[in-house]
Each structure stands twice: as structure tokens, then as C-alpha cells.
Amino acid sequence: MYMVMKMQQQNTTSNEGVEVLENRPFEDEVLGKGQYTSKFYHLQSKAPAWLTTFAPSDALLMQEEAWNAYPRCKTVIKCPYFTRFSLTIETVHKADNGCSENVHGLSKDLLAARQVEIIDIASAARDYWSYVVGSNNMDFTKFRSLKTGRGPLLEGWQDRCDPVMTAYKLVTIDAPYWGFGYRLEQTFLAGERALFLESHANCFAWIDEWFGMTMEQIRELERQSDFSLNKKLGKELLVASDEELEERGSIESKWSVRQSNRL
């Protein structure tokens, strides 16, 4: 949660970045209790050149819904410009080194179609999307956490480190567009891969900033961050107090957003 907040702040300006629409608790039978968020990602400058040849600059306005119920999370991303496009990420966190074979409970057919890629947060390999998403340039072979003593991450660290955790991410993407659908799918997959690497590397690199924080402290930082993000983009986040919600017969803290020029 800390990593998400900090990366959103780093990548949001007055012109593009993350707009928070809703942030509230949820509960369902599959994931249990957790936090639901709805966001817009304004990514104009990150659109590849080939896409801008036939789509407007704001084609990479992405709408994200996420259900975070650690150790399970689900994220659904859609694009208003490409209405048939969808990308779903289902995450399971396990206290192992990546040895689990089928944490998502896939059928034999889906297992046969699945492509597995291992992403090592200590990897120094970079590609085009690494520079688009951003890179912390941390050398984990020399890094040691002052608060926890964890690190450095030398070759084969997954088999030696304790504790260790793997985030198993099942990515399903569909872009049924003749002529460019496959290229669009590959573009988003490459972008997501770079984002997975960067975000989880940051999570470890910033461990001394968030380690020891309580959930109450994180939630308060999250509220402040959501206000700050929307202010940068010229939006305004409206928060209903618990007393106001109780008057409406609800005890959930529901957050909504309006355009500032409509208030």
C-alpha cells in the first residue's frame, strides 16, 4: 500500500497520472474483506508511437477497479477508447520462493495454455518499457535494510532468504481488434511486466520507510495521498464522515469524486 501511494505521487502531475474515484472497504464470498478502489490512469505521454498514428493522445486513459484482500487481490483494467479491451490481474501472495505450481487452481486446458515468466526484483535487466514506467536503479546486491537486516539479494537469493514471498500474478488480456489487437495485447503485457518489476523492487527498496507502520497510519497516509493526487489533476475528492454515513444507514466510508469545475 505504501509503495502504491509513493509511486502514484511520483508519476502524477497537473497533466497526467492517477485520479482516485473511489476508495472504500468491501466484503464478498470469494475474496473476503478488503479495500475496493476505482481509479483513472491518465497516461498520454506513455502511448507508443505506433498507437498515436491512428488513436488520439488520450487513448491511454485507463479505468482500473481493484479488490485488495491480501493475500488475494483482483484488478480489472479497461480502456474507454478501446471498449472491447480488457485486462484482468489475479494475484495470490504466498510465503514461498516461487515453487508453487497452480496457486490459481486453473483447469488442465488453462494450464496447458498458460505461459509462465519469472520476474526477479533483483534483476538489472531493462527494456523500453522499463524506462517508460521508471526505474529505481537500486543495486540490490549491495542493499541492506537498516530496520530489518534483510538484503543484500545476491544470485540465488530466493533459495536462501527467510522470510521470502512470491506474488503469483495471473494476467488475462483480450483485445479483439482486427489488424492491431495482437500488437495492443503485447504492448500492455510488456508494460505490465515492467510495472510488476518496478513496483515490487520499490516495495523492497523502500522497506525502511514502511516497515513497522500500522494499518491506521497507512490508511491515513492513503487518505492524504488521494486528496493530493486529485488536487494535482484539478479534481476534488469528497469524503463523507462516519456520522454522515450513519445518518444514511451506512457505516462504510465511501469516497466519491467530482470534477472541480462542476462543484
Side-chain angles (χ1 to χ4, degrees):
M1 291 173 60
Y2 181 89
M3 171 270 294
V4 169
M5 285 187 292
K6 186 168 180 176
M7 287 188 67
Q8 288 179 163
Q9 289 289 343
Q10 290 178 341
N11 290 280
T12 299
T13 65
S14 60
N15 298 317
E16 65 178 16
V18 184
E19 175 188 353
V20 182
L21 303 176
E22 192 173 3
N23 189 334
R24 59 173 174 80
F26 82 93
E27 181 176 1
D28 68 22
E29 296 180 355
V30 178
L31 295 174
K33 294 182 179 181
Q35 198 75 8
Y36 167 83
T37 57
S38 176
K39 302 173 183 177
F40 274 135
Y41 288 85
H42 303 265
L43 306 174
Q44 299 93 308
S45 68
K46 293 178 171 54
W50 68 266
L51 184 60
T52 59
T53 59
F54 63 90
S57 59
D58 61 354
L60 280 191
L61 171 66
M62 311 303 295
Q63 185 173 7
E64 178 198 86
E65 288 186 289
W67 295 262
N68 188 339
Y70 181 87
R72 290 183 174 271
C73 308
K74 181 178 181 180
T75 302
V76 176
I77 299 174
K78 296 184 178 180
C79 181
Y81 187 82
F82 299 107
T83 56
R84 289 181 288 165
F85 168 88
S86 67
L87 187 151
T88 302
I89 305 168
E90 298 168 85
T91 305
V92 177
H93 298 87
K94 289 202 67 175
D96 66 22
N97 63 356
C99 59
S100 297
E101 177 61 26
N102 188 16
V103 297
H104 295 95
L106 300 180
S107 66
K108 289 183 179 180
D109 290 342
L110 289 177
L111 281 175
R114 182 186 66 174
Q115 299 178 19
V116 178
E117 184 172 359
I118 298 174
I119 299 177
D120 180 358
I121 64 169
S123 172
R126 293 293 183 266
D127 59 16
Y128 166 79
W129 284 102
S130 300
Y131 295 102
V132 172
V133 171
S135 177
N136 64 23
N137 296 317
M138 174 66 71
D139 184 354
F140 285 117
T141 65
K142 301 176 181 178
F143 172 83
R144 182 180 294 275
S145 164
L146 297 177
K147 286 187 177 181
T148 68
R150 299 173 191 173
L153 302 182
L154 304 176
E155 186 176 357
W157 64 267
Q158 298 93 332
D159 299 323
R160 295 190 300 271
C161 287
D162 183 27
V164 64
M165 183 182 75
T166 300
Y168 294 88
K169 293 183 174 290
L170 178 64
V171 181
T172 306
I173 188 169
D174 188 24
Y177 292 96
W178 184 86
F180 68 93
Y182 176 78
R183 193 172 186 183
L184 189 64
E185 290 178 358
Q186 295 304 305
T187 294
F188 276 97
L189 286 174
E192 287 297 328
R193 184 196 182 284
L195 183 60
F196 291 159
L197 176 58
E198 176 68 6
S199 59
H200 290 78
N202 283 336
C203 196
F204 185 59
W206 297 335
I207 189 171
D208 287 340
E209 299 178 30
W210 58 259
F211 187 85
M213 277 186 156
T214 65
M215 283 300 295
E216 290 75 17
Q217 290 173 321
I218 286 287
R219 289 294 178 210
E220 179 56 32
L221 284 177
E222 191 176 52
R223 283 189 283 269
Q224 296 174 11
S225 177
D226 288 350
F227 273 110
S228 175
L229 291 172
N230 285 12
K231 187 175 181 180
K232 287 181 181 181
L233 289 168
K235 314 292 181 181
E236 198 160 321
L237 186 67
L238 304 181
V239 180
S241 67
D242 289 340
E243 292 78 8
E244 291 172 329
L245 289 169
E246 286 176 359
E247 290 178 2
R248 304 173 196 170
S250 172
I251 60 172
E252 288 186 342
S253 296
K254 296 181 178 179
W255 305 355
S256 59
V257 176
R258 289 183 182 175
Q259 301 240 0
S260 58
N261 60 0
R262 294 180 183 173
L263 294 176

